[in-house]
């Protein structure tokens, strides 16, 4: 049996992509905010009904750029969670800021809003919550807390492209939101990322920061890096955006098939759609809690059948070796995150995953088959 991976990139037809990139052979303008880059920005603003966007070579540098763009004072504390991809914490640390780890809630694995205020000190400058698996954080409560304490909110929305809450796009919450357009994401530009932001006056600085800090041909205003999205990536984004609604609809069917097979099984906590949220079905996390097999056993059973699931997010960021010397090190300080991290497995999830394969995966999990 051929391998089933945890994810598989959506792609336009070869012909559609070739048509999109054709004019690059005439223009010979391959990067540095060319026509495709501008077109993708415009299309994204229209699709998400958002106000301001900047595109990046990836989501990670988008996050670093927005942290720099907001001129947060070096050494400032940033409240965030350890149940995330390495990128979130790395971006904070690499920006000269100090992560302060807040635990997550056990319902949807996003930041526990009831624990944020006790972590605020006179050094706190921002909150960087993560919309884990595309589950939205409690954006209203976070907004209240940030306003009360004068803090910036920058969402790591890497997983949450096209998710809406009460009809409002996830791009519109907080002061800014970072999205990843990595090939494994619901919407992608091969590699890529974006920042959606509220304050129009940030735009110029963000443009400069991603282009070595250049403010003109003879002026260098910032110690910037290189984080520009190239034209081929933007063209892939333009094509993929045309088909995104259809791809999300296909994901919904996969999600529902998993639910049909696994719902009601004792000891399994399945992915849930939140109230008021229009989801993007980015991931299908299952928490194995008191089930006849533990997470690691299920992982191995699937692996034995050539099916790749992912312990996502395990290990927790606050147990990474590179953070041993940091004050936030220690997964025991965030017990809910640790509990979930030890038990969660994200199952294969992509638009083209067929019903038969979902059924086969579920049969293995249920111990009905060792399929080969
Ligand atoms: C939660 C989270 N934050 C940040 C990133 C970084 O995005 P990118 O891979 O586009 O740099 C990812 C990517 O997988 C992610 O999952």
């Amino acid at each position: 049996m051929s391998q089933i991976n945890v994810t598989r990139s959506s792609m336009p037809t070869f012909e559609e992509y070739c048509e999109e990139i054709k004019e690059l052979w005439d223009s010979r303008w391959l990067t540095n905010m060319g026509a495709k880059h501008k077109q993708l920005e415009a299309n994204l603003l229209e699709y998400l009904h958002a106000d301001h966007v900047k595109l990046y070579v990836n989501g990670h540098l988008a996050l670093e750029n927005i942290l720099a763009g907001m001129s947060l004072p070096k050494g400032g504390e940033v409240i965030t969670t350890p149940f995330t991809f390495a990128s979130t914490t790395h971006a904070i640390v690499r920006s000269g800021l100090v992560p302060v780890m807040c635990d997550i809630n056990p319902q949807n694995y996003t930041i526990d809003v009831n624990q944020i205020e006790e972590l605020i000190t006179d050094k706190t400058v921002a909150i960087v919550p993560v919309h884990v698996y595309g589950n939205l954080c409690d954006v209203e409560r976070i907004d209240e807390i940030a306003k009360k304490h004068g803090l910036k909110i920058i969402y790591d929305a890497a997983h949450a492209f096209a998710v809406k809450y009460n009809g409002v796009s996830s791009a519109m919450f907080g002061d800014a939101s970072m999205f990843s357009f990595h090939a494994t994401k619901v919407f992608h530009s091969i590699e890529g990322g974006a920042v959606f932001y509220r304050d129009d006056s940030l735009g110029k600085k963000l443009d400069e920061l991603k282009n070595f800090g250049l403010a003109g041909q003879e002026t260098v205003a910032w110690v910037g890096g290189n984080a520009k999205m190239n034209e081929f990536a933007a063209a892939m984004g333009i094509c993929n955006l045309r088909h995104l609604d259809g791809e999300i609809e296909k994901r919904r069917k996969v999600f529902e098939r998993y639910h049909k097979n696994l719902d009601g099984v004792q000891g399994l906590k399945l992915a849930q759609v939140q109230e008021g949220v229009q989801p993007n079905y980015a991931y299908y996390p299952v928490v194995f809690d008191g089930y006849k097999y533990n997470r690691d056993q299920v992982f191995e059973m699937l692996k034995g059948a050539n099916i790749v699931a992912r312990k996502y997010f395990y290990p927790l960021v606050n147990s990474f070796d590179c953070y041993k010397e940091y004050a936030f090190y220690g997964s025991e300080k965030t017990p809910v995150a640790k509990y979930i991290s030890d038990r969660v497995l994200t199952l294969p999830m992509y638009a083209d995953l067929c019903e038969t394969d979902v059924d086969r995966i579920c049969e293995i999990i249920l111990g009905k088959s060792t399929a080969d």
Side-chain angles (χ1 to χ4, degrees), residues 58-60 84-85 87-88 156 158-159 178 180 182 185 192 312:
N58 57 49
H60 178 83
T84 183
F85 188 53
S87 169
T88 321
D156 180 334
H159 296 178
M178 173 280 282
S180 164
H182 184 258
K185 298 293 190 278
Y312 198 55

Side-chain angles (χ1 to χ4, degrees), residues 2 6 14 31 35 41 73 77 102 114 126 129 147 176 188 206 208 234 252 264 268 288 296 311 316 372:
S2 60
V6 71
F14 180 66
T31 186
E41 281 186 345
E77 292 177 357
C102 185
N114 296 320
K147 282 209 173 85
H188 77 87
L206 291 176
E208 292 165 1
R252 183 182 67 76
L268 299 187
F288 295 83
D296 291 352
K311 298 177 193 178
L316 285 181
D372 48 18

Side-chain angles (χ1 to χ4, degrees), residues 248-292:
I248 292 176
E249 177 56 18
K250 288 203 238 163
R251 285 173 171 271
R252 183 182 67 76
K253 291 190 175 139
V254 174
F255 188 97
E256 287 181 357
R257 190 76 186 178
Y258 272 129
H259 245 62
K260 184 167 175 287
N261 287 329
L262 301 177
D263 197 23
V265 176
Q266 177 77 23
L268 299 187
K269 186 181 172 222
L270 307 182
Q272 299 292 333
V273 174
Q274 298 166 281
E275 217 179 304
V277 170
Q278 186 181 314
N280 64 1
Y281 306 102
Y283 296 88
Y284 199 88
V286 177
V287 174
F288 295 83
D289 191 6
Y291 185 56
K292 61 181 174 181

Side-chain angles (χ1 to χ4, degrees), residues 66-200:
I66 187 66
L67 290 170
M70 289 196 171
S71 308
L72 302 172
K74 297 279 175 225
E77 292 177 357
V78 174
I79 297 174
T80 187
T81 49
F83 191 69
T84 183
F85 188 53
S87 169
T88 321
T89 316
H90 286 356
I92 295 168
V93 172
R94 286 162 55 90
S95 302
L97 299 162
V98 178
V100 173
M101 291 297 174
C102 185
D103 210 347
I104 58 169
N105 72 67
Q107 286 80 39
N108 57 42
Y109 322 124
T110 63
I111 193 164
D112 181 349
V113 288
N114 296 320
Q115 295 192 39
I116 296 177
E117 282 198 281
E118 63 204 49
L119 297 171
I120 295 174
T121 70
D122 55 4
K123 291 199 184 123
T124 310
V125 292
I127 310 174
V128 176
V130 186
H131 297 310
V132 179
Y133 305 133
N135 292 338
L136 293 187
C137 301
D138 184 342
V139 291
E140 285 155 353
R141 185 79 190 99
I142 293 170
D143 218 44
E144 275 169 26
I145 296 169
K147 282 209 173 85
K148 183 170 154 196
H149 297 275
L151 307 175
K152 296 282 185 205
I153 310 167
I154 298 140
Y155 282 104
D156 180 334
H159 296 178
F161 190 79
V163 178
K164 287 184 185 165
Y165 175 57
N166 288 339
V168 179
S169 156
S170 55
M172 296 302 284
F173 301 123
D175 295 286
S177 296
M178 173 280 282
F179 292 86
S180 164
F181 299 159
H182 184 258
T184 54
K185 298 293 190 278
V186 172
F187 166 72
H188 77 87
S189 58
I190 309 172
E191 290 269 4
V195 166
F196 288 81
Y197 56 100
R198 295 289 76 69
D199 176 2
D200 189 22

Side-chain angles (χ1 to χ4, degrees), residues 10-62:
S10 294
M11 283 176 92
T13 62
F14 180 66
E15 290 73 23
E16 182 179 348
Y17 185 63
C18 288
E19 189 56 37
E20 195 61 51
I21 58 175
K22 218 172 183 178
E23 64 201 64
L24 300 177
W25 266 259
D26 298 326
S27 69
R28 301 289 163 125
W29 189 314
L30 306 185
T31 186
N32 285 29
M33 284 70 84
K36 298 293 167 192
H37 187 286
K38 291 192 180 104
Q39 184 65 55
L40 180 58
E41 281 186 345
N43 293 2
L44 288 169
L45 291 179
E46 191 188 346
Y47 182 81
L48 297 177
H49 303 289
D51 42 13
H52 308 295
V53 68
K54 294 295 172 195
L55 297 179
Y56 288 88
V57 64
N58 57 49
H60 178 83
L61 287 177

